[in-house]
Amino acid sequence: MGAFFTNISLKTNDLETIKVALKDKKVFVSSNPIWITIYPQETEEQDIATLHAFTQTCSSMFRCPAIAFLVHDSDALIYYYYKNGDLIDAFTSLEEFIEDESEDTQKLITENNHGALLKEIAKEGVTEDQINNVFSSKHVFAEDKLIDLVKVLGIDTVEPIGYKYLVDEKAEHPNIQPLN
């Protein structure tokens, strides 16, 4: 059985505001001065509408870029990139997941402009080609593509794990803590 998980990275350093806003949610968090990654229980059922809504709300509420990652059975990597509440880009590594998306999201996925769009949130010096190379390279497991993508983007707060793994398996991840 493969891995199933979600997490959302926010390009902000305002952890206190996030703590207050999400105080009633079951969430784990990891942070650095540039990124905060949250691992919410609410999105772990892998319902795409819930992941979209949670990410859009966070991006809008915190007025920052947010990128949600979903790994499904280690076969599919899906991401949604929001900026100030607006969906900017989307990706899925398996075509069978495209039909579950809205027409607007399907268009973003098939336009395949990911490198250019993600470059604006990538660490300084990263090129569009470096980002596109992650998408064109072959990976056995979706979480390996996720690791390569967040590495090139500079989102070092992301680990290939979700809320359920942190709770159910008592996974040891010293940089990830309960939010409240």
Side-chain angles (χ1 to χ4, degrees), residues 12 40 45 57 60 96 113 117 150 172-173:
T12 180
E45 294 303 317
T57 299
S60 180
E96 66 189 66
N113 198 19
L117 295 169
V150 297
E172 300 262 339
H173 296 275

Side-chain angles (χ1 to χ4, degrees), residues 8-68:
I8 301 166
S9 292
L10 308 166
K11 193 165 187 179
T12 180
N13 61 2
D14 194 355
L15 185 57
E16 292 309 311
T17 298
I18 290 172
K19 282 182 177 181
V20 170
L22 301 179
K23 71 181 183 309
D24 296 327
K25 304 277 186 186
K26 292 181 180 180
V27 176
F28 283 88
V29 65
S30 61
S31 65
N32 68 26
I34 300 170
W35 288 95
I36 296 171
T37 298
I38 58 175
Y39 303 81
Q41 179 190 37
E42 190 171 319
T43 61
E44 283 292 277
E45 294 303 317
Q46 302 216 331
D47 178 74
I48 290 173
T50 301
L51 186 60
H52 270 290
F54 197 99
T55 308
Q56 180 182 30
T57 299
C58 286
S59 177
S60 180
M61 183 183 313
F62 306 127
R63 305 302 301 160
C64 68
I67 186 164

